[in-house]
Amino acid sequence: MVVLALLAGCETQFPAVRLRIAAGNKSGVYNTISQYMAGVWQARLGTEQLEVLATGGSPDNVNKLLSGEVDIAFSAADVASKPTAGPRSPRALARIHDDYLHVVVRDDGPVQQLSDLRGLRVGIGAKDSGVEFIAKRVLALTGLDSPGMLTQRSLDLASSVDALKRGEIDAFFWSGGLPTQAISGLGDVLPIRLLDLADDIPALRKQYPVYNSASIPASTYHLAGRPVNTLAVPNFLLVTDQMSDDLAEGLIREFFAALPELAKQTPAALSIDLQSAIETDPLKLHPGAERFYRGEKI
């Protein structure tokens, strides 16, 4: 086992430290990274066994981090960059992989653009999830959040997929990596299309600069036609300003040391690199992380 191999020659650095990680949904990328890195961090830093907590997603993760319930969290940048109040402030250890906004509809249906969702039933993600957060921003900015404009359904990804299959909803929002296996599976049994957001991206990015313009290749989900224009949402690995510089530096150092093996656990890790890791605006890097990157000449 890789984690056991890492034990050899390691010096214990933080023997009395107990760390808890807010890891999101049990089937998500955050959780996969958390489970693997918990073992690596314990082995390499000599901490007590890390506790990996399943949560509702980015908003829940950030709330737990700022309340002191956890010490490490994963979050989408849009959620992490919201203004906060209280004794703790979030600090980034790294920008990691990006998520891509999907608006999924049936390919044999009438919906061609966001405005066509008017009067329809739309899954907007699980309650208090990162998907719901970005979905509500998009609907508000496009004028589709007014009463009576459409029927919003709070559904997680699995429930959204099932509801679209059964004809109980007409569309759903999702923000995740490429490809998202549940959407690939849906495309195997139902003709689907992703809405192109090219007309909406300028206004969304002007209002929320944290989002980036991106495209989803047609080959990702065996879609007909051209790539789909959408928004990309960076994800951050977070701690708070109350974590010591030495511990923060140790966490990010061992994260990058383990990256080749982590990439075997999730394809999302293939897009993580030192050069982009420091791009955490508008969130500040933790001073311990800054020290690590300076040592790497980044």
Side-chain angles (χ1 to χ4, degrees):
M1 184 177 176
V2 172
V3 171
L4 292 178
L6 291 171
L7 283 167
C10 289
E11 295 181 4
T12 299
Q13 295 175 274
F14 304 96
V17 171
R18 176 176 173 266
L19 297 171
R20 300 152 297 176
I21 309 173
N25 187 285
K26 287 185 177 180
S27 62
V29 172
Y30 291 167
N31 195 273
T32 301
I33 296 174
S34 297
Q35 294 289 348
Y36 184 78
M37 289 308 305
V40 170
W41 282 326
Q42 181 186 2
R44 296 292 298 181
L45 300 180
T47 66
E48 295 184 13
Q49 183 174 353
L50 281 78
E51 184 179 1
V52 178
L53 303 177
T55 68
S58 291
D60 193 17
N61 290 356
V62 172
N63 288 338
K64 282 180 165 55
L65 182 70
L66 297 182
S67 69
E69 294 178 62
V70 301
D71 310 284
I72 303 166
F74 293 84
S75 175
D78 52 356
V79 175
S81 60
K82 283 185 62 181
T84 60
R88 299 175 182 85
S89 296
R91 293 291 181 264
L93 294 183
R95 172 182 172 172
I96 50 175
H97 63 285
D98 288 354
D99 284 340
Y100 294 78
L101 180 62
H102 301 55
V103 186
V104 184
V105 300
R106 294 182 62 113
D107 191 39
D108 55 2
V111 180
Q112 300 291 329
Q113 55 192 358
L114 282 175
S115 60
D116 294 335
L117 296 176
R118 186 176 290 107
L120 301 183
R121 304 157 299 172
V122 182
I124 61 167
K127 186 173 176 56
D128 297 326
S129 67
V131 177
E132 182 190 61
F133 188 86
I134 189 173
K136 286 189 172 182
R137 280 186 165 183
V138 170
L139 293 175
L141 207 60
T142 54
L144 292 170
D145 64 333
S146 303
M149 290 297 289
L150 53 78
T151 301
Q152 298 183 15
R153 298 278 304 277
S154 294
L155 300 170
D156 63 17
L157 178 57
S159 299
S160 293
V161 166
D162 288 342
L164 192 69
K165 285 180 185 176
R166 294 193 297 265
E168 295 172 357
I169 60 173
D170 305 290
F172 68 84
F173 283 79
W174 168 248
S175 181
L178 299 179
T180 294
Q181 292 305 316
I183 295 177
S184 296
L186 175 63
D188 290 338
V189 299
L190 189 75
I192 61 170
R193 182 172 64 254
L194 304 183
L195 296 189
D196 192 293
L197 306 183
D199 293 341
D200 307 288
I201 287 173
L204 286 163
R205 293 201 65 224
K206 182 178 180 180
Q207 182 72 20
Y208 304 111
V210 71
Y211 300 127
N212 297 314
S213 300
S215 64
I216 300 176
S219 60
T220 305
Y221 299 110
H222 306 294
L223 304 172
R226 297 175 295 178
V228 176
N229 295 293
T230 190
L231 296 176
V233 189
N235 286 288
F236 294 158
L237 174 59
L238 301 174
V239 294
T240 73
D241 56 351
Q242 296 191 3
M243 178 174 283
S244 74
D245 292 359
D246 287 346
L247 180 54
E249 182 181 14
L251 289 171
I252 194 59
R253 181 185 67 241
E254 301 307 334
F255 180 85
F256 276 100
L259 197 56
E261 292 298 327
L262 181 60
K264 297 177 183 178
Q265 313 299 314
T266 172
L270 293 170
S271 63
I272 302 171
D273 65 80
L274 282 167
Q275 296 295 329
S276 62
I278 63 174
E279 297 172 1
T280 62
D281 285 342
L283 216 58
K284 293 180 180 179
L285 280 169
H286 191 286
E290 289 183 331
R291 190 167 69 191
F292 164 74
Y293 293 120
R294 283 197 302 270
E296 296 293 319
K297 305 295 191 292
I298 302 301

